[in-house]
Amino acid sequence: MVFDQLIGNFKLGIDYAIEQLINGINIGGIYALIAVGYTMVYGIIELINFAHGEIYMLGAYMAFTFYVMLHLPFPIAVLLSIFTCMLLGILLEFVAYRPLRNAPRLAALITAIGASLFLQNLALIIWGGIPKSFPEQTLPDFFQSPIITIHGNANISLLQYNIFFITVFLMLGLHLLITRTKIGTAMRACAQDKTTASLMGINVNRVITFTFAVGSSLGAVAGILAGLYYNIIKHTIGYVAGVKAFAAAVLGGIGNVPGAMLGGFVLGIAETFGAGYISSPYRDGIAYAVMILVIVFRPSGILGRKQTVKV
Amino acid sequence: MKKLLNFRLLIFISILAISSALIFAACEKKPEPATGPEEATGPIKIGFAGPMSGDAAAYGEIIRNGIMMKIEEINEAGGINGRMLELVVGDELCDPKEAATIAQKFASDKEILAVIGHVCSSATLAALPYYKDAGLPAVSPTATNVDVCKKSEWMFRDVYRDDFQGEFIAKYAKEVLGLNTVAVFHENNDYAIGLMEAFKKGAEEVGLEVVGVESYVKDTVDFTPQLTKFKHLAPDGIFIAGYYQQGGLILNQAKKLGLTSQFMGADGLNNPELIEIAGKEASEGFIASSPFVYEAAGGEALKFKKDFEAKYDGMTPDWMAANGYDAVGIIAKAIEECGADRAKIRECLAGMNTEEKGYKGITGVTFFDENGDCLKPAYVSIIKAGEFVAAEKQMF
């Protein structure tokens, strides 16, 4: 039955495969942007920031609020939204995680789950339960209809093209930031050993604040892109996307930034091909199955290194 | 890392354990059957169970408004035999688990004599055992799944069934729209699966070829893989079986992928919110069957529409609001004729079994067969310039 379907879907040809690949790259890019935030924070303070998915959700809501409710021009609304989410990320770290910096890890984890629930319900109170969407005129029409031909019948829209482009651009920027700048070096130092880093004169608190700021900004960008392309802004979207992105971070090797990017794309493409070739209702299952298979053979993820246990 | 994953598993398992224990405890506690009539002076309470928040909140709001219109009308005219009507609203998010909780609450509140609800079929199917055990009559204004009324003699509805509706749309697609091939896109729930099966059956009868069936789960926001498949199968029409929120997203994403097939849907998509979510351009020309169209019903219905818009500042009532309005009328008629008592109300409802004995409301005459189902015609609406209007060609 499933096998017949698989053969039938292969008969749809190469253009179909290309279009599904593009769908996968789109959703994968969004997962990758969120996953980077998870992985950076984990790398430095070994905390899985469960509230990160909510920052993604708030990014979409903020852009909607600035653009639709306050009638600001769209680019300004986007920048303001990213800025607001950056501040929120910093605030979250300051209020919820900093007081627990030296507490048992479980306490911080439970706080993170609590912060996630708090932000979700806050969004429900502020914007209500009825989903929002950006108006059709947000982007010009030529931006949203498939006009670029890649191969035969496979067409993509400028919006899809740009999602990919923006994602890759931000990833490269982040990579340069971490490898080439002073603050990036400080981040890597803190990830290796916080105590020694502070003995060397690095202001660890500032580095952690910076990490949260960068991760939250990228999360907000992901939220806005998803809001534009998938057309939905709802208080629960952060949960589903957050879980997927967390899986992507684990798949790539938690704590490893290029790994998180790779994990996001792998998960997105696996999910889309699972839906397009095997079975659409089981798409999430297929994505997680891919993740589990990788973890079985490489427990520390695709690019993760074996970690020595700290005593 | 390992420790963390174990911890999450532990949390997950404990949540499961606690919730199943709660459900068990809930199932153990059988509400006592209602006793005889109380003092006949206080208000008569009627329950309404539906989604007031969450994905399907637009249904709940519009139906409750329709219900309140009728209740206020009755109360202004002096109530039923001198007693006022009072509405108790239960929010169940269209979720079967929540629906069961609300149903128990209503069943054990002896003052509630009848229930209007539930809204979604899966929620109704989850709730009806509790009404059956407690002997509480319920009239659903919107649950169209085939099995709903068969399962309980306490369950009625003033809306048609999906087997009728699905076949109707297939016939309309072939005979009026002139389509030859279709694909079906459905949600994985009781309502949509029943509808999809009925549609396929109808398609077979009229010689409409179904070239593909895809489905989605409730929380999906990305429909692009399935839509991409439809794009390459290139059917003349695509039938969406599901609710308005996902329907709106599907229409919007289909436009972005460049699909040109004629999209169709059923009553679940016939909600103004669909246009809000999809956008005006993406929803233009979308066709949906509907139990009721104001323009076609005329007189009383148009007056209701005008009053409704005046009362709820410009909100346009849909077919659900009208069915909710009539559901109150049906229950009020039963109370008036048989008395304010759960069992007597049920008897009276079951007695409305011919057109003469039926209730004449704005949606036409409602009368029930031995299951509690009613026979009502189906209409077709089309979206023009951001509004649902009656399609030019109807089929009766």
Side-chain angles (χ1 to χ4, degrees), chain B residues 145-158:
Chain B
N145 180 280
V146 176
D147 296 332
V148 166
C149 295
K150 277 184 201 157
K151 287 188 186 258
S152 160
E153 64 276 20
W154 293 85
M155 194 75 219
F156 300 84
R157 59 176 142 198
D158 64 333

Side-chain angles (χ1 to χ4, degrees), chain A:
Chain A
M1 171 70 219
V2 168
F3 197 68
D4 287 350
Q5 215 180 346
L6 200 64
I7 299 293
N9 290 330
F10 276 114
K11 282 186 187 147
L12 290 168
I14 187 80
D15 293 349
Y16 175 67
I18 290 172
E19 282 198 21
Q20 291 294 27
L21 180 67
I22 292 157
N23 290 335
I25 288 172
N26 270 325
I27 192 100
I30 285 162
Y31 292 157
L33 281 174
I34 309 169
V36 167
Y38 273 112
T39 232
M40 283 199 309
V41 168
Y42 185 85
I44 294 180
I45 55 174
E46 289 181 1
L47 164 80
I48 293 168
N49 176 12
F50 275 112
H52 188 56
E54 272 55 56
I55 299 282
Y56 155 91
M57 176 264 296
L58 288 168
Y61 263 129
M62 291 288 174
F64 172 84
T65 308
F66 289 126
Y67 177 64
V68 177
M69 294 176 168
L70 302 176
H71 306 292
L72 296 167
F74 191 66
I76 292 174
V78 167
L79 291 175
L80 273 175
S81 159
I82 294 169
F83 184 70
T84 318
C85 285
M86 194 164 91
L87 291 180
L88 261 170
I90 295 169
L91 185 75
L92 182 73
E93 193 271 329
F94 193 81
V95 172
Y97 305 145
R98 189 163 295 190
L100 297 167
R101 186 72 52 77
N102 299 319
R105 279 167 68 175
L106 273 189
L109 189 80
I110 290 166
T111 308
I113 295 172
S116 160
L117 286 172
F118 171 77
L119 290 173
Q120 227 182 86
N121 286 292
L122 188 71
L124 180 62
I125 290 167
I126 298 174
W127 289 283
I130 293 182
K132 308 272 183 232
S133 55
F134 289 110
E136 271 176 325
Q137 316 79 309
T138 305
L139 296 171
D141 200 45
F142 70 84
F143 219 80
Q144 303 195 47
S145 35
I147 49 175
I148 308 168
T149 305
I150 293 191
H151 177 281
N153 285 329
N155 306 317
I156 63 167
S157 64
L158 277 168
L159 178 62
Q160 286 170 303
Y161 179 78
N162 277 311
I163 289 178
F164 177 68
F165 188 75
I166 290 168
T167 310
V168 171
F169 177 77
L170 288 172
M171 294 293 171
L172 281 173
L174 182 67
H175 186 70
L176 291 176
L177 178 89
I178 291 172
T179 52
R180 301 283 161 86
T181 64
K182 204 168 161 186
I183 185 89
T185 314
M187 280 162 81
R188 282 179 292 139
C190 289
Q192 279 180 6
D193 188 340
K194 281 206 292 291
T195 320
T196 313
S198 66
L199 289 172
M200 296 293 140
I202 293 172
N203 184 337
V204 176
N205 274 342
R206 193 181 298 167
V207 170
I208 290 169
T209 300
F210 184 79
T211 308
F212 268 87
V214 173
S216 302
S217 313
L218 293 176
V221 173
I224 296 164
L225 289 176
L228 279 174
Y229 185 64
Y230 298 108
N231 204 42
I232 186 157
I233 309 167
K234 206 171 59 172
H235 67 282
T236 51
I237 53 172
Y239 173 73
V240 181
V243 169
K244 285 263 178 64
F246 173 64
V250 172
L251 175 69
I254 191 98
N256 183 309
V257 173
M261 301 177 194
L262 187 67
F265 284 114
V266 169
L267 204 71
I269 292 167
E271 185 185 323
T272 309
F273 274 89
Y277 281 90
I278 303 168
S279 154
S280 46
Y282 290 107
R283 60 192 292 180
D284 292 0
I286 293 160
Y288 290 133
V290 168
M291 178 191 116
I292 290 165
L293 277 176
V294 172
I295 299 292
V296 165
F297 292 106
R298 284 194 62 93
S300 47
I302 302 175
L303 300 180
R305 287 202 199 92
K306 263 210 146 64
Q307 285 189 343
T308 46
V309 181
K310 286 177 188 167
V311 183

Side-chain angles (χ1 to χ4, degrees), chain B residues 157-228:
Chain B
R157 59 176 142 198
D158 64 333
V159 62
Y160 56 47
R161 276 178 12 188
D162 279 334
D163 47 358
F164 164 70
Q165 173 171 243
E167 288 175 34
F168 170 85
I169 302 166
K171 284 193 182 79
Y172 189 88
K174 175 80 183 175
E175 288 162 16
V176 177
L177 302 174
L179 309 179
N180 294 315
T181 53
V182 281
V184 185
F185 200 5
H186 70 90
E187 184 175 334
N188 265 346
N189 68 14
D190 293 325
Y191 160 71
I193 291 171
L195 192 57
M196 181 257 309
E197 281 164 359
F199 179 84
K200 276 164 88 174
K201 191 168 155 247
E204 207 173 318
E205 280 169 18
V206 293
L208 183 64
E209 192 195 346
V210 179
V211 292
V213 178
E214 291 290 321
S215 62
Y216 58 87
V217 287
K218 189 177 169 225
D219 291 325
T220 309
V221 295
D222 169 23
F223 300 91
T224 52
Q226 295 99 316
L227 288 168
T228 300

Side-chain angles (χ1 to χ4, degrees), chain B residues 308-377:
Chain B
F308 189 100
E309 282 170 354
K311 187 166 174 354
Y312 299 107
D313 45 274
M315 188 183 201
T316 311
D318 60 354
W319 67 270
M320 290 188 171
N323 270 3
Y325 180 86
D326 275 357
V328 181
I330 291 164
I331 290 168
K333 181 179 157 147
I335 296 173
E336 207 164 2
E337 288 175 8
C338 300
D341 170 72
R342 288 179 176 187
K344 285 179 184 162
I345 292 172
R346 194 208 80 85
E347 246 166 73
C348 230
L349 290 173
M352 299 185 188
N353 54 8
T354 64
E355 198 158 347
E356 294 74 53
K357 293 182 195 162
Y359 172 78
K360 293 167 192 60
I362 57 171
T363 60
V365 180
T366 307
F367 61 96
F368 306 109
D369 64 9
E370 65 276 13
N371 289 333
D373 287 322
C374 70
L375 284 169
K376 277 177 153 178

